[in-house]
Amino acid sequence: MSEFDVDGKLFSAEPEPGQCLRTFLRDREIYGVKKGCDSGDCGACTVWLDGKPFHSCLVPAFRAEGKKVTTVQGLADGDTLHTMQQSFHDAQSFQCGFCAAGMIMTAAALTDEQKQDLPRALKGNLCRCTGYRSIADAVHGLTEVEQDVAGKACGASLANPFTEDIVTGHAKYTMDVTVPNLLHLKVLRSPHAHARITNIDRTSALAVPGVVAVFTHEDVPHRLYSTALHEDHLVDPDDTLILDDVIRFVGQRIAAVVAETEAAAEAGCRALNVTYDELPAVFDPFSAMEPGAPVLHDKGFEENGNIFVDIHGEVGSVADGFARADAVHERTYSTSRVQHAHLETHGSIAWRGDDGRWHVRTSTQAPFVVQAKLCYLLGLRARDVHVFTERVGGGFGGKQEMISEDLVLWATMKLGRPVKWEWTREEEFIGSTTRHQMTTRVKLGATRDGTLTALEVYVVSNTGAYANHASETLAAALGSPLAAYRCSNKKALGFAVYTNVIPGGGFRGYGASQTTFAIECAMDELAHLLGMSPLALRRRNMVGPTDLVESVWDGPSDASFGSYGLDQCLDHVEASLAQGNGVEPPEGDDWLVGTGIALALLECGPPTEHRSGAEMTLLETGTYHLAVGSSEMGNGITNAHRQIAAGVLGTKASGVDIVNADTDRTLYDTGTFASTGTVVAGKAVHLTALALKDDILCFASEYSGSPREDCELEGDAVVCGGRRIPLSDLYTARKESGRKLHATRKAYLTPRTIASNVHGVRLALHKVTGEIRILQSVHGADIGRPINPLQCRGQIDGAVGMAFGWALTENMVHGPTGAVINPNFRNYRIPAFADLPPTEVFFADTYDTIGPMGAKSQGECAINPVAPAVSNALLDATGIRFDSLPFTPDRIFDKLTAL
């Protein structure tokens, strides 16, 4: 038996043959070592061997024998944090926190010299949430957090309540739990883009030692549904089965194997013998729309072929508008299919509790909608199913999908034992969902002074093999990007089309990103035609605070400006770009420099139903308990909700204990997506805190004999007519009467306020190699009153970083058979530290009249104007429009040769 020293503790164990150190440590419940990629690309599993950092997924476990292994859980000295852990605390250098353990272990080992070259020093650690700015702040010892002061919580840059658990590796994500008697599930995925399964021989799979069961389409319920998580399920088509005998994309799940170990389950999948009848496939949406194209679905959509939905509308007459125009611009733009790349992969664990109920621990943005879908699919009652999250390692819309919970719960129900399914990184690329690839033709007309006379768009969205989110993303694509500009004549026609590739889904920006790219590029080209500056053209035509927020549909809308700061955003970006930031382009005649801007609006919430409820209770300690159903996935919503409640109640945020995302312990919440965490769930918290405050003050008045108007909450007491009554005394007095000081309220998404963002870019382009270097990145955001400015800035940093990835490096490439040929971080490049410049972030000075405490959404919209700003900067540098994302050197080289 081998001896191991891990975090100062000795134990004897024998690694499995070929076992890596990461799985060896996690098997021993050392959960601070995370799984992000299994290939040494992300750094989430970083540990020290004799003081040197290594990616533990690349280290054979036996090589740790005789060495001192240190994980993030052993970095602190008792209750005293390591200096780097403290720095990550003080700079709040995380959002979801999944990468933080590995990032801290790498950063803590850096020398002073290495800290001066962080792009090189941190090249082995990826973060999808932060944009790396806050991580650099931590390494350089900057303190960003403010003190938690009673009565001043709302609007302060307070630390996340789970900070210490995150920086010490003790925060529990979905898979960071030990469940006795656990089985493991793996799925066999299709090698074909379109085929019918004629036979699945499970004999060899069942003969694999450790395999317990194999489930195929013959075993599971045959009920059509959509994997999309919306409260109004009617907006999504029921075109999916848990397991289907018809395969529509490479990577679709075919059969589930359940075994005693992951290795046995994987071996069982490889042993399955499946016979297919291959069918014709179509990958291009334009080809899929042609007569005679292979039709993917025969479940009631035959009359439209592969067109799932078309959306069209017109206000005014674009024909008349173009007839009046002095200048007309028309061009087609294309965006790419990209992956969410949240570092925590999808996964769920299901079991039957001692209470006789089914429990599902999962990584989701919408536990209540998951509960409803599971009940529908598996014939269960809501009271018999408990769905919850603990901490979610990133989402970005990718976890607004039910794609892991159904099989684990079904297997648990059939086998009577707990079942776990943890996805691999490759499965994320080939089996989950992506941003919809869209092709958009834009036609603009304007008079000589720049006044728009007509705006017309034609959009084709490639929804892939299934239409989860297809109609809603298409509607969003035809919504706010068109509403951003005043024009009396607008027309839009859009199609969502089935093809034999991985399905599209919800993704940060949710359809509006794609057409914002097209329209904002077209606006610059129209400005060049007119001889105007792009800024001047936008200022003349952008929607104003008293304008109707109008797309292409007649009738009233519940979307309006609760605050307006788009003009301030433009001013901030224009001034900063004019001033510059001191970063000069590389020397040499081969570098061209250009500047570009773009703007975006986003309604804070979808037009469909979205609701949330909150509960608050005064505790005997004089502090509060808050329950709200939103998921915390790095969006900072837990902190925002505590700060909103504390702001109303005049206490510290630390005086508000919170539980969230649990169908047993919180009121219903539609889900944390579509920019609703603040404006819906946050409003529910605001209303609940107001109600509880009123209850406390009324009781204090009764208790003290003072008039209600003479009673005020001050920290942990109520002051009534000069008498200070501790809240703990009020709790005791109320309890003696058999009642609690307790409140609950619900909030609904109407009306919807509007957030706005402007991004500016100055870049250098090498005209021989096509290399692009971002010299300056500036962002202006109107998000109303920031509940937590540091957190809001972090959300914008992350959104901008993700947008630069979309613009410059990220692209899912499908081969000729429809298979994704770059299903890993090494070949699908999300931005690393070296790829992202620091972004100057400016907030408009506004106070929203619709959102809670003057706030509105901030985490989503910032992604939308970045890619078009980059494209516009390239146009400014070269005079050439690059109209297809991403702008990789190979894509722009041919056009550069014309210079």
Side-chain angles (χ1 to χ4, degrees), residues 855-876:
K856 53 188 175 185
S857 308
Q858 78 277 348
E860 183 173 14
C861 186
I863 197 172
N864 289 345
V866 179
V870 172
S871 185
N872 289 336
L874 289 171
L875 175 65
D876 183 51

Side-chain angles (χ1 to χ4, degrees), residues 169-321:
H170 295 297
K172 292 296 195 300
Y173 294 81
T174 307
M175 296 298 158
D176 297 340
V177 64
T178 300
V179 180
N181 204 27
L182 185 67
L183 293 171
H184 298 265
L185 183 148
K186 289 291 181 180
V187 299
L188 177 68
R189 296 186 178 276
S190 171
H192 302 295
H194 201 191
R196 185 176 298 278
I197 297 171
T198 57
N199 185 59
I200 300 179
D201 184 349
R202 58 187 98 186
T203 306
S204 296
L206 289 170
V208 172
V211 169
V212 174
V214 176
F215 298 111
T216 74
H217 63 90
E218 297 174 335
D219 306 304
V220 298
H222 198 271
R223 303 194 77 173
L224 287 168
Y225 71 107
S226 172
T227 61
L229 299 179
H230 288 117
E231 173 149 334
D232 182 1
H233 68 93
L234 298 177
V235 302
D236 308 307
D238 291 336
D239 61 0
T240 305
L241 293 169
I242 297 175
L243 294 170
D244 203 336
D245 65 337
V246 176
I247 301 305
R248 296 179 177 87
F249 70 97
V250 175
Q252 182 170 324
R253 57 194 195 185
I254 292 172
V257 176
V258 185
E260 299 289 348
T261 65
E262 281 191 76
E266 290 176 354
C269 288
R270 291 192 294 270
L272 285 170
N273 186 6
V274 185
T275 305
Y276 302 92
D277 181 8
E278 288 192 58
L279 302 171
V282 59
F283 307 119
D284 174 70
F286 290 93
S287 299
M289 296 167 69
E290 293 293 327
V295 175
L296 272 69
H297 289 271
D298 57 0
K299 299 182 175 73
F301 309 117
E302 299 91 335
E303 65 274 15
N304 295 325
N306 290 313
I307 299 173
F308 162 64
V309 67
D310 68 276
I311 300 177
H312 52 84
E314 184 173 14
V315 294
S317 169
V318 293
D320 292 345

Side-chain angles (χ1 to χ4, degrees), residues 557-560 604-611 676 679-680 683 687 747-753 850-851:
S557 169
D558 69 340
S560 60
C604 296
T608 49
E609 184 78 4
H610 206 108
R611 56 195 172 98
T676 56
V679 296
V680 184
K683 182 177 284 188
L687 295 173
Y748 298 85
L749 183 62
T750 189
R752 294 176 298 148
T753 189
I850 297 174

